[in-house]
Amino acid sequence: MVAGKPTENEMKLKIKAKLENLTVIDEFITDSLRQLGVQDKVILQVQLALDEACTNIIQHAYSGVEGGIIIINCIMSGNDLVIEIKDWGKIFDPTSVPQPDTKSGLFERKEGGMGIFLMKRMMDDVKYILHPGSYNELRMIKHIPQGK
Amino acid sequence: MELKINKTGDVITVLLEGRIDANVSINMEQELLSLICEDSPKVIADLSNVVFISSAGLRSLIAALKEAKRQKGDLRLVGIEGHVKEVFEITGFSTIFKIYTTSEDAVSSFGD
């Protein structure tokens, strides 16, 4: 794990892709956003989006096989918080997963799709960017209101 | 995740704590399913001390709810507040579960 501050408003975490590390990722984003003065309610929303994104990478891009790497960059750009998540696993575009029907009943409700649905609801923008022959990137943006 | 359990008659209250993410939810689901099948299908999950729940945690609670219903019981919830409440509301899960404000209300609801 490598955590550091490449620039004043950019924080980076490089970590092994395994479910046990979700708590480390959680601590990283919480600490980073607290340093930036972001309020707790917003921190919890970003935490959830990041947790869902990294869980997808661990379970789908790396298919649960350990050894993969995830790199998370947290950048404050004006009023926008930009979270870049990079992996070197299989291409898995979570934004292509159909949105779940949140009004369906218990036994009618299909599994899956809830993670990306939560990501989109917690963040203002979620994009999957392919870098062919290199890495996959999920970029999420949250507008941080005045007063954070 | 080690579950803290209280029993009132045939109603089991399970105290969940901390973060319920993909790492702990599999274990939590197994614990809940074994409780439902081995002890009683009338279960209350108290989430007062849960600070975070992801979609994996929600899926495990849904799996437990389905099993409880199959066994002619129910999984009812108490202590849904703050961020956890927000997650339940936007996913529509707050309408799937019966949610109570206090443990006493949740326990007595099984007598209705």
Side-chain angles (χ1 to χ4, degrees):
Chain A
M1 183 181 79
V2 179
K5 285 203 285 181
T7 67
E8 201 173 73
N9 288 320
E10 183 175 344
M11 290 143 195
K12 183 174 179 175
L13 177 73
K14 182 178 176 184
I15 198 163
K16 284 191 177 162
K18 53 182 183 179
L19 292 176
E20 292 93 315
N21 278 341
L22 288 173
T23 50
V24 182
I25 292 166
D26 177 18
E27 284 163 14
F28 161 74
I29 198 67
T30 303
D31 290 348
S32 300
L33 298 188
R34 284 215 175 115
Q35 281 180 44
L36 293 167
V38 177
Q39 59 170 252
D40 284 352
K41 182 179 161 57
V42 178
I43 293 176
L44 281 164
Q45 292 171 339
V46 178
Q47 252 185 35
L48 180 56
L50 183 59
D51 181 281
E52 297 290 352
C54 292
T55 300
N56 272 336
I57 291 171
I58 296 163
Q59 293 184 326
H60 300 294
Y62 289 122
S63 304
V65 179
E66 287 191 15
I69 293 288
I70 298 174
I71 291 180
I72 301 162
N73 281 311
C74 170
I75 306 147
M76 201 68 202
S77 174
N79 282 341
D80 282 348
L81 171 71
V82 183
I83 310 275
E84 296 170 348
I85 309 156
K86 294 174 186 167
D87 72 79
W88 285 259
K90 286 182 295 189
I91 293 169
F92 176 74
D93 179 0
T95 63
S96 67
V97 177
Q99 186 168 311
D101 179 4
T102 57
K103 292 190 172 63
S104 59
L106 174 63
F107 288 95
E108 295 76 44
R109 187 175 274 245
K110 291 191 180 75
E111 288 203 10
M114 199 57 76
I116 179 62
F117 173 74
L118 284 170
M119 268 186 252
K120 285 179 174 169
R121 288 295 299 260
M122 296 293 132
M123 305 298 281
D124 293 302
D125 190 40
V126 179
K127 272 197 188 76
Y128 188 69
I129 306 160
L130 280 175
H131 299 272
S134 186
Y135 58 91
N136 313 310
E137 179 181 349
L138 190 73
R139 182 176 294 191
M140 308 193 291
I141 297 174
K142 178 105 178 153
H143 307 309
I144 306 294
Q146 294 287 324
K148 297 173 178 178
Chain B
M1 176 184 270
E2 201 166 312
L3 303 183
K4 290 180 185 162
I5 295 158
N6 282 311
K7 209 166 178 182
T8 311
D10 61 347
V11 180
I12 300 170
T13 303
V14 182
L15 190 65
L16 304 176
E17 291 180 319
R19 284 172 51 85
I20 307 182
D21 60 18
N23 190 38
V24 302
S25 66
I26 302 160
N27 183 244
M28 180 191 79
E29 183 177 324
Q30 292 303 314
E31 296 274 359
L32 286 172
L33 291 176
S34 69
L35 264 182
I36 289 162
C37 295
E38 297 295 318
D39 293 284
S40 169
K42 295 178 183 174
V43 180
I44 296 161
D46 185 340
L47 281 79
S48 312
N49 294 323
V50 172
V51 294
F52 174 94
I53 189 162
S54 71
S55 63
L58 292 175
R59 273 197 298 277
S60 291
L61 288 176
I62 283 288
L65 173 62
K66 283 181 177 172
E67 188 56 35
K69 295 251 188 199
R70 279 187 210 107
Q71 308 275 343
K72 310 290 179 214
D74 201 0
L75 172 67
R76 299 181 181 176
L77 307 179
V78 72
I80 306 288
E81 283 158 25
H83 178 64
V84 173
K85 187 176 181 181
E86 183 186 9
V87 174
F88 269 82
E89 283 177 350
I90 64 172
T91 53
F93 280 38
S94 52
T95 60
I96 285 182
F97 287 93
K98 286 184 179 160
I99 298 173
Y100 297 86
T101 313
T102 67
S103 302
E104 292 76 21
D105 288 348
V107 170
S108 60
S109 72
F110 277 105
D112 295 344

